[in-house]
Amino acid sequence: MIALRNVSFTYADSDYGVKEIDLSIQKGECVVLTGPSGGGKSTLTRVLNGLAPHYFYGRLSGTITIGNDDFTQKPIWEISRQIGSVFQDPKSQFFSSELAGEIAFATENYGLAHPEVVRLTHQAISHFKLNSLINRNLDDLSSGEKQRVAIASVYTLNPEIYVFDEPTANLDAEGVVQLKQTVSDLKSSGKTLIIAEHRLSWLDGIVDRFVYLKDGAITWEKTAKEMGKLTKKQRDDAWLRSSTPIHIPDLPRPAGQGSPLLSTTALSIKRGRNTILQNQNFKVWPGQIISVTGRNGAGKTTLALALAGLDGKTSGKIEILEKSTRRLKRRSRVWYSSNETGTQFFTNSVSSELLLTQNLTESTLEKARELLKRLGLYQYKDSHPATLSGGQRLRLSIACGLMSNREILIFDEPTSGLDGGNMNIVATLFRELAKSGKSILIITHDGELIKRCCDFSLPIA
Ligand code: ADP
Ligand code: MG
């Protein structure tokens, strides 16, 4: 029912996008767009839901038909009644601060009569079992709950087609289980689903067909059955992640000999009036890579920001090399890479971002070049960070950490939006860095990454 014929889209402010896409999707089918980061998955979802070119400007050519309608000629408000979109970061799509208002937003926006708005909103709330959350502030919901609200608000308009762009990128294990249930219910009710995704294992049993995008073009398509037959080597060569669930390995808490590089004693952290973490005691030694794990909302980012001296009011002790180290001092010794890469960059090109805090010697330039090449960003060295894909921005953020000469580095969900190949490259870089005596803390839910490079784990309850 959806047919794309020779569709190309190039962003106005870069030379990239998708090209010569031929793709047919049947009613009720679940198609997963996968492939290396920067391959064009998000761009293709934006072409489908009209965001490209209506919101992301650029040049679109080819034809897109849904049923007998030519979609390239339709205004975006008409497209979005038929195609509901759910993005990676549910926050970015909220218009309201309270749950019912958010769910009602789409129907209100389309000018439906008030009784109809109320009816559809209640129906969506009960369908997605959101009754118990109705009085909570949207900001206080877990990422999984926010994602459910985002889907519920799309559901009110009853679109035939749902487009998801990396819906699991910010979810913990429990959130992924909830999302899987929601998505499989949509599928059972006959909806057509198009999902851009790296994490493949949760889609088992839902997906009908995989479409692989690389360098903006479709390189191959496989049915779920054919995909299941790929060997480990074939998957690795295609930079795919595991299609079976990876259990997070059980790792010990950090232990070591000699002076710890970082230690906390009776550390408690407040943000605003709320005490987020209490009585944290741990030590980290040079050369260790430690996963910081825990459900969404447990306080992992709060801990990271406090350790790096960036936010939070702390009591108790934070020591670096057994010396109590104040907040401002910590800023120059602890690196923190956020996963909110939308707002994190300061300059207008990839290379100046990387060299921002560096003395421009031949050796730092060489180091920067090598990092960009290893992380597949060299061809983007003059691009504006805002024009990078999500996965490319994540890698730039990691590269900035690796360039910094800090002894302690904290990465917040560094691989949530990365394909298998890039995840392996990042894991290798972390290993090399640890070998040179640094301590690395990685806030992550990524079982594959933990398996590849972490020795210890710090669970935050
Ligand atoms: P994926 O979702 O598979 O990671 P994208 O569709 O985001 O890939 O990216 C495809 C190409 O388009 C990349 O080369 C990327 O740099 C470029 N691109 C992505 N978003 C934008 C944007 N907003 N502006 C300009 N170029 C972009
Ligand atoms: Mg993407």
Side-chain angles (χ1 to χ4, degrees), residues 11 13-14 16-17 36-44 46 56 165-166 380 386-392:
Y11 290 96
D13 47 8
S14 80
Y16 303 98
S37 113
K41 301 178 294 298
S42 295
T43 307
L44 187 52
R46 291 168 187 160
F56 294 92
D165 191 5
E166 289 196 36
Y380 297 97
T387 69
L388 297 178
S389 80
Q392 289 165 340

Side-chain angles (χ1 to χ4, degrees), residues 37-313:
S37 113
K41 301 178 294 298
S42 295
T43 307
L44 187 52
T45 64
R46 291 168 187 160
V47 165
L48 282 164
N49 61 23
L51 285 180
H54 293 285
Y55 178 80
F56 294 92
Y57 298 122
R59 217 174 48 247
L60 179 68
S61 61
T63 58
I64 305 171
T65 49
I66 298 191
N68 295 320
D69 288 353
D70 179 354
F71 253 56
T72 32
Q73 303 305 324
K74 288 210 173 183
I76 186 137
W77 60 268
E78 223 175 291
I79 299 177
S80 51
R81 280 205 79 153
Q82 289 182 52
I83 305 186
S85 305
V86 180
F87 309 111
Q88 164 174 333
D89 178 7
K91 262 190 306 202
S92 69
Q93 93 187 78
F94 288 161
F95 298 95
S96 171
S97 62
E98 73 39 85
L99 190 142
E102 181 55 40
I103 294 176
F105 181 85
T107 48
E108 280 173 340
N109 205 28
Y110 278 99
L112 300 192
H114 186 67
E116 193 61 0
V117 169
V118 172
R119 187 181 70 79
L120 292 171
T121 303
H122 281 296
Q123 195 186 17
I125 288 174
S126 82
H127 183 86
F128 289 95
K129 303 193 178 64
L130 293 164
N131 292 304
S132 60
L133 305 176
I134 200 150
N135 291 321
R136 300 253 302 274
N137 191 316
L138 282 182
D139 278 341
D140 299 338
L141 301 184
S142 74
S143 302
E145 291 163 344
K146 282 182 191 147
Q147 193 70 274
R148 235 158 72 219
V149 173
I151 300 171
S153 102
V154 170
Y155 176 87
T156 54
L157 290 173
N158 195 23
E160 271 310 303
I161 303 161
Y162 284 75
V163 172
F164 294 84
D165 191 5
E166 289 196 36
T168 62
N170 294 308
L171 301 186
D172 58 13
E174 194 189 309
V176 175
V177 171
Q178 289 175 357
L179 179 73
K180 175 166 188 172
Q181 188 57 52
T182 309
V183 171
S184 82
D185 290 347
L186 289 174
K187 162 111 191 182
S188 318
S189 66
K191 302 296 179 188
T192 307
L193 308 175
I194 300 156
I195 309 175
E197 190 51 291
H198 289 295
R199 294 210 219 173
L200 302 179
S201 55
W202 71 277
L203 291 158
D204 195 31
I206 304 177
V207 53
D208 298 302
R209 183 157 52 115
F210 291 92
V211 171
Y212 187 89
L213 282 150
K214 191 182 172 189
D215 299 330
I218 296 179
T219 356
W220 49 256
E221 295 185 26
K222 286 189 196 307
T223 62
K225 207 162 155 206
E226 289 165 343
M227 191 78 161
K229 287 193 188 134
L230 290 184
T231 62
K232 166 118 184 18
K233 165 126 188 14
Q234 285 170 320
R235 307 187 68 86
D236 287 351
D237 289 348
W239 286 30
L240 292 174
R241 279 175 173 262
S242 170
S243 58
T244 48
I246 296 282
H247 292 290
I248 296 190
D250 244 335
L251 295 172
R253 279 175 68 91
Q257 277 162 4
S259 302
L261 184 48
L262 173 72
S263 61
T264 67
T265 316
L267 174 67
S268 294
I269 308 168
K270 277 187 166 179
R271 281 178 97 177
R273 285 204 188 144
N274 302 332
T275 302
I276 314 267
L277 284 173
Q278 249 169 344
N279 199 21
Q280 298 291 320
N281 299 286
F282 60 84
K283 294 186 169 70
V284 171
W285 281 264
Q288 293 183 336
I289 308 182
I290 297 138
S291 66
V292 179
T293 55
R295 60 178 170 78
N296 283 138
K300 305 180 294 293
T301 297
T302 302
L303 174 67
L305 289 169
L307 291 174
L310 296 170
D311 195 20
K313 222 173 130 218

